[in-house]
Amino acid sequence: MNNIDSITHLRGESIYLDDIPLINGTLFAAAFPSPIAHGIIKQLDLSEAENMPGVARIFTCKDIPSENQVGGIIPDEPLLADHHVHFCGMPIALVVAETRDAARAAVKKIKVVIEPLPVITNPREAQENNELIVPPRTFRLGDTANTWPQCAHVFEGSADTNGQEHLYIETQGAYALPQENNALKIYSSTQAPTAVQRAVSKVTGLSMHQLDIEVIRLGGGFGGKEDQANTWAALCALAALLLKKPVKYSLHRMEDMAMTGKRHPYSSDFKIGLDNNYKILAYEARFFQNAGAAADLSPAVLERTLFHCTNAYFIPNVTATAYSCRTHLPPNTAFRGFGGPQGMFVIEAAIAKAAEALGIPASVIQEKNLITTGDEFPYGQKAESEATACWQNAMQLYDIGSIRRQQAAFNNSHKLLKKGLALMPICFGISFTKTLMNQARAQVHVYTDGSVAVSTGAVEMGQGVNTKMLQVAAQVFSIPASQVKIQSTSTYRIANTSPSAASATADLNGKAVLLACTEILNRLKAVAAEEWNTPPTAIELKDEWLWVNGEKTGWDWKRLVMTAFVKRISLSEHAHYATPEIHFDASKEKGHPFAYHVYGTAIVETTVDCLRGIYTTDAVKVVHDFGSSMNTAIDLGQIEGGIVQGIGWMTLEEVIYDKEGRLRSNALSTYKVPDVYSVPKEIAIHYLATEKDNLAIFRSKAVGEPPLMYGIGVYFALRNAMRAFNPNAVMPFDAPMTPEKVLMALYAATATAAIKPQAGVNII
Ligand code: MOS
């Protein structure tokens, strides 16, 4: 079925935070951000700002009635700076005024004197200074130290990935409305209504049951609103509570880019050892995560880097250590893949380095080492692998031999245009790595007219989760989709929710919907069984009609519902689901953290213009492990979007902070995101359909994050194209591979004169 939002999206009728009608008297907020990255506030002068027209009040940390704290995992993040500032963009004060423009004008009149302190932006430097968010963690399998002597080939190197701006189309924001007895209703653009509720509770001192956080939908999240929506909601809540007026804050794009964290940049070291048959015997990695100035979700992101440090490969001896390094950047946060892609880039770099040195295609090493069922991941879980199935299907379906031949022929006949190929297998674990978060609840009401309303903890952010929730209810009751409505996400209806994150939202909430609907269905069946004097097993609901002993009756769904109501049978249910079987012991770094894994393989083809440094992605051809897809149109959209977002991270998007910790790429004029020209000319997606994973909803598989990692293949395909032009190109593993870097690598000092382009060469 179509995404249920498609019609309102098309008509522009879908409601986002900025579409919520404003209550009379609503005030508007704007934060005054720290102009420098690290220092001590010596003086804060609000007098001129306070006298600006329309200003209602300016709040500082002194106005906070309870705790000045929004840190989720670790309480290390003040809502408003108190004495210290830790990053450029850190909110110091909040102006509340009659209009948005008045608030922003007043922000410009605030004067602050900050005594600067040394600024660290590099994670390795932070680690050397022992500036760590949490103690380092190490995952171990086998014994690397004793394996090196057995390796025929050993390679070492480093690999860096940059951050990534989430660039959700809807910026961060919140709208807080005072209710009676100090309660607050808050509309928030958040992936995590409960996280907002907790943060607001902490800051205001109100109990969680006084806080209704409601989300209709988000214009994108990508992880950026998993934890970082809290600040804006807490600021609005604070002002609304103290002024007894509705307060709204919807961030300007440049505020959002400057004040919020991004994907974590990583700097990493690797060492890889292979035998003569290219089997990887040992792998060591050290990951330096640039966490920014506060913990935010960094410790959890760090963990996922370790979980995915061997990607889709089985390596018998692994030692991987990860450091979460505190720098003076805005706290970095969740971003689609949640640290996994950063870990996977490093093993792919290690394999590429080995392949280049050995003079073989990386795919030879990749294929030899794919993880198979029964192999152990470094964290102890045994694989139920589709890695080889995806890989071999891709090779055959897309005829890798012919792609190679065509590329070789092209490269032979073109001097300045070169094609490159890379294969990118992926493996991604599904479940929150923190076991307790793998729970969800759903509330289902059947009304007496037969219509059904479903509430869950899932937040719709364009990923189509509401459509999938609706499908579950419609399928269990066997009623048309038009009979089911998915309600907004509200902490008054569904409590203690996990964020919509970790690709697991449809699984967790879908299972809860399934349980709730099944419970109501069983009650309805019991009613019918009594009426027909047969056992409930003889009762069936098919296409809105009641069937008894395989025969259609004259009763439709509505009549059955009404009969149950008359008999005073409950037509509502609130169900709870917790993923069974998963566990993880962080003291041993071993366990079974994931319900299942998602696998896939992409064949990536690129062309580099070696005169200009520009390039195109010709094709990304994928065999992806869908399980039994619930909604192929939605899943296809997730995969295409993920691939393009991954390509952006790997090739174009360059988050640039200067040495003083100021964001230089602070607008779309200086931060390049994929446009229609960066999209692969061809995206082919083949469904590897399996029916194994009952821990997923209807044996579908989670689809949100994994496809982003196909984009990593584009980086390595570009590298191969560049090597076809200049085998001596100087190419450190340093993503993104921007056109500027391509050009510089191709013509770096070691390039020989012979391959330098000559005037008048026809490049086409
Ligand atoms: Mo997602 S990166 O798990 O919000």
Side-chain angles (χ1 to χ4, degrees), residues 80-112:
L80 290 166
D82 181 6
H83 198 53
H84 263 83
V85 291
H86 300 282
F87 62 93
C88 196
M90 182 175 185
I92 294 176
L94 185 77
V95 176
V96 179
E98 282 162 15
T99 65
R100 203 174 65 166
D101 288 349
R104 288 188 183 147
V107 161
K108 295 204 174 98
K109 301 293 180 188
I110 295 177
K111 293 187 191 74
V112 69

Side-chain angles (χ1 to χ4, degrees), residues 191 222-224 226 334-338 432 500-503 705:
Q191 291 172 239
F222 308 115
E226 184 175 338
F335 196 134
R336 203 174 193 173
F338 206 74
F432 286 96
S500 287
S503 307
E705 292 166 292

Side-chain angles (χ1 to χ4, degrees), residues 11 208 223 337 351 419 459 505 575 696 735:
R11 290 180 177 152
M208 286 171 79
I351 289 172
K419 286 191 185 289
V459 170
T505 314

Side-chain angles (χ1 to χ4, degrees), residues 183-397:
L184 287 172
K185 164 144 192 134
I186 301 171
Y187 294 100
S188 165
S189 181
T190 179
Q191 291 172 239
T194 295
V196 165
Q197 190 188 23
R198 283 202 195 102
V200 171
S201 169
K202 215 180 233 185
V203 167
T204 59
L206 299 176
S207 301
M208 286 171 79
H209 71 194
Q210 287 173 290
L211 300 170
D212 181 16
I213 318 300
E214 183 173 353
V215 184
I216 299 166
R217 66 165 66 67
L218 314 185
F222 308 115
K225 297 170 181 171
E226 184 175 338
D227 212 48
Q228 301 217 341
N230 300 1
T231 296
W232 324 108
L235 288 172
C236 289
L238 171 74
L241 187 69
L242 298 179
L243 292 169
K244 302 269 177 248
K245 293 261 197 173
V247 176
K248 183 178 169 183
Y249 190 6
S250 173
L251 271 67
H252 186 278
R253 176 68 63 190
M254 287 176 81
E255 283 180 305
D256 191 307
M257 290 179 83
M259 294 163 82
T260 67
K262 311 179 189 315
R263 181 190 291 285
H264 294 81
Y266 273 65
S267 186
S268 308
D269 299 322
F270 61 78
K271 183 173 177 184
I272 190 168
L274 303 92
D275 70 11
N276 276 324
N277 295 315
Y278 307 130
K279 266 274 187 201
I280 305 173
L281 299 182
Y283 179 61
E284 284 182 2
R286 294 206 307 158
F287 301 101
F288 300 90
Q289 175 199 56
N290 193 333
D296 191 273
L297 294 165
S298 297
V301 171
L302 189 81
E303 189 176 49
R304 209 175 252 282
T305 303
L306 291 170
F307 280 120
H308 297 307
C309 70
T310 53
N311 189 15
Y313 309 110
F314 171 65
I315 305 177
N317 301 285
V318 176
T319 308
T321 300
Y323 302 87
S324 183
C325 310
R326 192 188 298 275
T327 60
H328 299 107
L329 300 182
N332 287 314
T333 194
F335 196 134
R336 203 174 193 173
F338 206 74
Q342 290 95 320
M344 287 158 66
F345 180 80
V346 180
I347 181 74
E348 293 302 327
I351 289 172
K353 176 141 190 174
E356 287 167 16
L358 295 167
I360 55 169
S363 58
V364 172
I365 301 175
Q366 290 173 310
E367 186 173 7
K368 283 235 158 128
N369 292 282
L370 290 172
I371 195 159
T372 59
T373 297
D375 286 343
E376 191 176 334
F377 289 102
Y379 45 92
Q381 184 163 342
K382 297 260 169 36
E384 285 190 44
S385 179
E386 305 293 348
T388 306
C390 290
W391 179 280
Q392 283 175 354
N393 268 293
M395 296 308 103
Q396 283 155 24
L397 189 67

Side-chain angles (χ1 to χ4, degrees), residues 124-179:
R124 289 182 189 256
E125 190 185 336
Q127 191 263 344
E128 279 161 20
N129 290 321
N130 211 24
E131 285 288 342
L132 297 179
I133 301 273
V134 284
R137 292 182 63 177
T138 299
F139 280 22
R140 269 193 198 91
L141 182 66
D143 177 353
T144 46
N146 283 315
T147 307
W148 299 122
Q150 300 162 34
C151 296
H153 313 283
V154 177
F155 303 97
E156 289 182 73
S158 63
D160 289 11
T161 48
N162 200 336
Q164 186 175 24
E165 166 62 44
H166 299 88
L167 215 82
Y168 21 66
I169 294 176
E170 179 193 36
T171 55
Q172 303 266 7
Y175 182 26
L177 301 114
Q179 312 286 298

Side-chain angles (χ1 to χ4, degrees), residues 442-448 450-455 472-474 476-479 484 511-529 536 539 541 546 557 560-565 568-575:
Q443 184 196 59
V444 176
H445 294 315
V446 179
Y447 293 91
T448 51
S451 65
V452 174
V454 176
S455 294
V472 174
V476 174
F477 292 138
S478 198
I479 55 176
V484 184
K511 286 279 190 176
V513 174
L514 177 64
L515 289 172
C517 292
T518 305
E519 181 60 35
I520 295 172
L521 179 71
N522 287 340
R523 285 184 213 138
L524 292 171
K525 282 184 174 175
V527 167
I539 307 290
L541 279 159
L546 178 66
W557 161 255
L560 179 59
V561 166
M562 193 42 130
T563 306
F565 177 71
R568 299 189 294 165
I569 302 297
S570 167
L571 293 170
S572 297
E573 183 66 14
H574 188 106

